């Protein structure tokens, strides 16, 4: 089982397509509805379900393919009972690109709606009254895609409309402010949906709750990200850390560092940075062991002028180490620790 409770089913245009386990809930709901009196029948219901998810997939592919063209990394698409999610990384920073990537999904849905409606018109199939459960297939497809396109344009995170709204707000505001404002608008929309849902439909309540919490987590993630971007490694590094020479014996070093809170030490060899040694490793060896033999020589380093965001995402995080050295002109000038980065993330929340 996967950590995100989904499993891969196919690869389309090189993009991994995954299905969330809860997806089977909707299969059961559809099957039960289909066998009820006046239902579609199981076979027709499963065909309808497959078509629905094909439409959702086309919507997500529109996002993913455009995002990839704009330079983003597409990790995959996950199909959930409530729709699809494109897992995009390294999204372009420009509001114009964000706008285009967000709006292309609803546009794809409206395109599918228009094509289905045109097909229905050509075959003289009535489109009215709107229905998603029975009636002619082309009519159902037209209405379903129209609703999906419109629903996703609700101006609230994590829906496409929230991103569209933020990219428009960003025209005359910085990202962080635009995100806060867009999230606030999204929460107001969510509360209105929940309130309306209490009178009309449980579905609206569920959607409202989904939007309410989605807005908050999107806000937190963006603010952490932009705060980390505005900081440099030198802003949060431990300056002038204690360094050790490769020829030091571990027991001697342990004695020496007893009165410091520093737990990771950059090791020097011939005056140059050569790796890191931690107190845990020091204690695991006899006191006469030379530090040079037991140090972590593969430990990467960063520069004080690197952006904190970049250092964390590309070096410290992937390294899995508690701390890495900060080096300038061949000299160790600081230590960047996971604990300090976590503190910044915590403040952002
Ligand atoms: Zn979308």
């Amino acid at each position: 089982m996967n950590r995100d409770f989904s499993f891969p089913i196919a690869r389309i245009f090189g993009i991994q397509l995954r299905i969330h386990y809860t997806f089977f809930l909707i299969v059961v709901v559809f099957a039960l509805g289909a066998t009820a009196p006046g239902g579609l029948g199981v076979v027709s219901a499963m065909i309808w379900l497959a078509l629905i998810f094909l439409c959702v997939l086309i919507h997500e592919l529109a996002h993913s393919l455009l995002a990839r063209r704009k330079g983003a990394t597409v990790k995959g698409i996950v199909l959930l009972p409530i729709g699809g999610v494109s897992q995009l990384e390294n999204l372009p920073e420009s509001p114009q690109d964000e706008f285009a990537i967000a709006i292309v999904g609803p546009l794809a849905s409206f395109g599918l709606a228009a094509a289905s409606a045109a097909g229905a018109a050509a075959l003289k199939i009535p489109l009215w009254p709107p229905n998603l459960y029975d009636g002619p297939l082309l009519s159902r497809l037209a209405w379903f895609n129209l609703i999906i396109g419109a629903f996703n344009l609700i101006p609230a995170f994590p829906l496409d409309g929230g991103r569209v709204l933020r990219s428009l707000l960003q025209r005359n505001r910085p990202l962080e402010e635009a995100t806060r404002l867009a999230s606030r608008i999204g929460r107001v929309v969510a509360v209105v949906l929940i309130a309306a849902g209490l009178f009309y439909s449980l579905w609206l309540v569920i959607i409202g709750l989904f939007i309410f919490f989605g807005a908050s987590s999107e806000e937190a993630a963006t603010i952490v990200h932009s705060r980390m971007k505005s900081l440099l490694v030198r802003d949060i590094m431990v300056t002038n850390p204690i360094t050790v020479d490769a020829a030091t014996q571990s027991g001697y070093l342990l004695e020496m560092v007893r009165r410091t809170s520093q737990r990771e030490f950059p090791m020097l060899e011939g005056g140059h940075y050569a790796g890191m040694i931690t107190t845990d490793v020091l204690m695991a060896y006899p006191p006469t062991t030379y530090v040079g033999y037991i140090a972590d020589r593969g430990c990467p380093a960063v520069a004080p002028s690197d952006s904190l965001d970049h250092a964390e995402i590309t070096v410290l995080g992937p390294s899995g180490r508690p701390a890495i050295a900060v080096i300038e002109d061949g000299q160790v000038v600081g230590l960047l620790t996971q604990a300090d980065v976590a503190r910044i993330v915590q403040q952002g929340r």
Side-chain angles (χ1 to χ4, degrees), residues 173-253:
R173 292 175 187 75
L175 172 67
E176 199 168 319
E177 209 182 306
T179 305
R180 277 191 207 284
L181 189 53
S183 302
R184 205 168 303 151
I185 294 170
R187 277 193 288 265
V188 171
V189 171
V191 168
V192 170
L193 286 178
I194 293 168
L198 291 177
F199 293 102
Y200 297 110
S201 154
L202 182 64
W203 275 112
L204 280 182
V205 176
I206 294 170
I207 290 166
L209 287 171
F210 162 76
I211 290 174
F212 192 88
F213 291 108
S216 305
S217 68
E218 174 80 23
E219 183 179 14
T222 308
I223 286 164
V224 165
H225 189 64
S226 71
R227 192 157 296 181
M228 300 248 299
K229 266 211 165 91
S230 67
L231 289 171
L232 299 179
V233 168
R234 72 158 56 87
D235 298 326
I236 74 152
M237 71 184 188
V238 177
T239 46
N240 301 317
I242 300 167
T243 58
V244 298
D245 191 84
T248 315
Q249 289 184 336
S250 65
Y252 176 79
L253 179 58

Side-chain angles (χ1 to χ4, degrees), residues 2 20 25 39 50 52 54 59 61 80 91 121 141 153 168 200 249 264 267 282-283 300 313 320-321 341 344:
N2 191 279
H20 200 266
L25 280 176
I52 282 178
L54 184 64
H59 174 112
L61 275 175
L80 298 150
L91 274 172
L141 275 175
L153 282 180
L168 296 176
Y200 297 110
Q249 289 184 336
E264 297 86 18
M267 179 188 74
L282 284 175
M283 290 191 290
I313 290 173
R321 287 153 166 109
V341 172
I344 298 289

